[in-house]
């Protein structure tokens, strides 16, 4: 069990691209490795646009290459998590277009057949994640996250809690119908008010394997510490009641602009909480990144964070049973 040893460090798109480089299929690189000498223990990948039949995801990562990166991360002993930002099925625009759509894709809805076709494409991708000897690779699938926010078409202002729960349940059941059996499903609201807020959209224990929470620092460090302390405590209590693992499923401070953020702000408030891992968002471009890269002013703090005995990177996670 990971929490007995500490918590695992994760990074979104860690080996797909970073600051000043993009994987062209010929190299295996990571900003995390370039700074610390080790890879993340948890690898986040994104399959938005798989539903459209595109060759590349919404962040311009080739799906064939993504499969190779997933295979390599798994072979090295890493944990794989997959998020999905599907386009709005009504408008055809991005996941951030909040025109109501959930009712139309549920069973009996006018776009239900379209949605089943989308899930078939998702299933085909998940079912083809295999080792070199043909064994399916286990992954954590985290669809429809941050539903208690208002920025996605599945968010609180675009569908009711009952519609959301039905969407989740139908999605899980349909993927299983399509022979997907290598997935654990993670449920992850955004920052919370309380236990009732966390469970408002919860589809039931039968349909959720891992409890998550997404917490970014958008304002002051004090506000972030308050949010992360209170929200993790809420999720921990629910996880203990339900006997499920819980994680910090998305987190970060854009550009990591606060001195000693990793050791003094983040770790001090998530160490010994019982979380299994913390996944930080992607290093997309010089104005949007969440992990230090070589030459970054907080690179030394990040290395100090990596060297904490309870913070588990790839080499550490290999030793955990």
């Amino acid at each position: 069990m990971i929490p007995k040893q500490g918590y695992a460090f994760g990074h979104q798109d860690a080996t797909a691209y970073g600051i000043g480089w993009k994987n062209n299929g010929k190299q295996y690189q990571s900003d995390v490795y370039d700074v610390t000498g080790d890879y993340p223990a948890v690898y986040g990948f994104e399959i938005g646009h798989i539903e459209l039949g595109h060759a590349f995801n919404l962040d311009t990562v080739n799906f064939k290459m993504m499969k190779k990166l997933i295979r390599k991360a798994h072979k090295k002993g890493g944990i794989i998590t997959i998020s999905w930002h599907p386009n709005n099925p009504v408008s055809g625009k991005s996941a951030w277009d909040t025109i109501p759509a959930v009712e139309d894709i549920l069973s009996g809805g006018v776009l239900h057949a379209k949605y089943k076709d989308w899930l078939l494409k998702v299933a085909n991708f998940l079912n083809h994640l295999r080792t070199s000897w043909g064994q399916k690779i286990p992954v954590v699938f985290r669809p429809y996250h941050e539903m208690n926010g208002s920025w996605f078409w599945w968010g609180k202002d675009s569908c009711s809690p009952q519609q959301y729960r039905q969407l989740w349940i139908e999605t899980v059941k349909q993927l299983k119908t399509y022979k997907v059996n290598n997935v654990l499903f993670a449920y992850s609201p955004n920052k919370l008010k309380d236990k009732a807020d966390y469970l408002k959209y919860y589809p039931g224990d039968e349909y959720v394997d891992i409890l998550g929470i997404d917490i970014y620092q958008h304002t002051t460090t004090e506000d972030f510490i308050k949010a992360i302390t209170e929200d993790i405590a809420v999720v921990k209590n629910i996880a203990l009641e339900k006997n499920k693992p819980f994680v910090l499923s998305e987190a970060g401070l854009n550009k990591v602009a606060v001195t000693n953020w990793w050791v003094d702000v983040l770790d001090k408030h998530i160490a010994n909480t019982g979380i299994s891992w913390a996944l930080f968002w992607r290093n997309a471009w010089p104005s949007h990144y969440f992990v230090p890269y070589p030459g970054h002013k907080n690179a030394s703090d990040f290395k100090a964070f990596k060297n904490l005995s309870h913070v588990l990177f790839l080499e550490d996670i290999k030793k955990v049973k």
Side-chain angles (χ1 to χ4, degrees):
M1 292 288 289
I2 292 174
K4 292 182 180 179
Q5 308 297 323
Y7 62 90
F9 167 83
H11 189 209
Q12 183 75 9
D13 284 337
T15 53
Y17 51 78
I19 302 303
W21 64 273
K22 185 174 181 180
N23 194 317
N24 58 12
K26 298 179 181 179
Q27 71 220 58
Y28 193 75
Q29 188 173 348
S30 163
D31 285 347
V32 172
Y33 181 86
D34 289 345
V35 172
T36 69
D38 199 358
Y39 290 96
V42 181
Y43 294 73
F45 293 92
E46 165 63 39
I47 60 168
H49 288 184
I50 196 81
E51 74 278 1
L52 307 177
H54 289 185
F56 294 80
N57 80 350
L58 55 82
D59 298 317
T60 72
V61 178
N62 180 277
F63 283 115
K64 288 184 179 179
M65 189 181 72
M66 188 187 298
K67 289 179 184 178
K68 292 179 181 178
L69 295 177
I70 289 173
R71 191 177 299 122
K72 186 158 187 172
H74 171 71
K75 186 177 181 180
K76 285 177 170 282
I79 297 167
I80 311 300
T81 76
I82 294 178
S83 54
W84 184 30
H85 292 77
N87 274 17
N88 186 308
V90 170
S91 69
K93 296 179 181 179
S94 78
W96 290 264
D97 180 53
T98 56
I99 290 175
V102 172
E103 185 176 13
D104 288 339
I105 62 175
L106 295 174
S107 180
V110 295
L111 295 178
H112 183 59
K114 176 180 181 177
Y115 186 61
K116 285 178 67 177
D117 179 68
W118 280 15
L119 289 181
L120 180 59
K121 291 182 173 69
V122 171
N124 286 339
F125 180 86
L126 295 172
N127 284 331
H128 283 91
L129 296 178
R130 295 177 181 268
T131 64
S132 57
W133 57 91
Q135 183 179 6
K136 282 188 178 181
I137 294 171
V139 301
V140 175
F141 187 41
R142 191 173 63 94
Y144 303 129
H145 62 308
E146 300 173 6
M147 75 300 293
N148 58 334
S150 57
W151 41 88
F152 295 125
W153 58 260
W154 56 84
K156 66 176 184 178
D157 292 343
S158 301
C159 71
S160 68
Q162 189 277 331
Q163 287 172 332
Y164 180 90
R165 290 191 292 268
Q166 188 178 348
L167 172 65
W168 186 283
I169 291 168
E170 289 189 10
T171 298
V172 172
K173 287 183 174 179
Q174 191 63 52
L175 288 175
K176 290 181 177 179
T177 298
Y178 290 147
K179 310 299 183 186
V180 173
N181 56 12
N182 56 325
V183 164
L184 295 176
F185 292 91
Y187 169 86
S188 60
N190 195 53
K191 288 196 292 188
L192 302 169
K193 296 176 183 175
D194 49 32
K195 178 180 179 180
D197 191 34
Y198 189 86
L199 294 175
K200 186 175 182 179
Y201 300 87
Y202 188 70
D205 293 350
E206 182 183 351
Y207 303 100
V208 174
D209 301 293
I210 296 173
L211 303 179
I213 179 74
D214 293 3
I215 308 174
Y216 286 88
Q217 180 173 336
H218 293 300
T219 55
T220 67
T221 298
E222 290 72 23
D223 284 347
F224 175 72
I225 290 172
K226 183 176 187 293
I228 207 165
T229 303
E230 294 177 356
D231 287 1
I232 286 179
V234 169
V235 181
K236 179 178 183 175
N237 287 335
I238 297 170
L240 290 172
E241 289 174 8
K242 297 183 176 298
N243 193 29
K244 294 182 185 291
F246 66 106
V247 301
L248 188 55
S249 40
E250 269 188 51
L253 168 63
N254 189 29
K255 298 194 281 191
V256 204
V258 174
T259 303
N260 298 333
W261 186 82
W262 293 97
V263 173
D264 290 344
V265 177
L266 176 78
D267 181 71
K268 275 188 179 179
H269 297 94
I270 66 173
N272 302 312
T273 58
I275 62 168
S276 291
W277 67 74
L279 182 135
F280 299 87
W281 208 235
R282 63 201 192 106
N283 281 16
W285 48 80
S287 62
H288 184 78
Y289 62 88
F290 293 86
V291 169
Y293 53 87
H296 189 275
K297 67 176 184 178
N298 272 334
S300 59
D301 176 50
F302 188 48
K303 284 189 278 188
F305 168 76
K306 186 265 176 192
N307 289 329
L308 294 170
S309 61
H310 57 272
V311 179
L312 310 178
F313 279 60
L314 185 62
E315 291 303 315
D316 306 307
I317 204 76
K318 291 178 180 178
K319 304 169 189 174
V320 178
K321 293 183 179 179

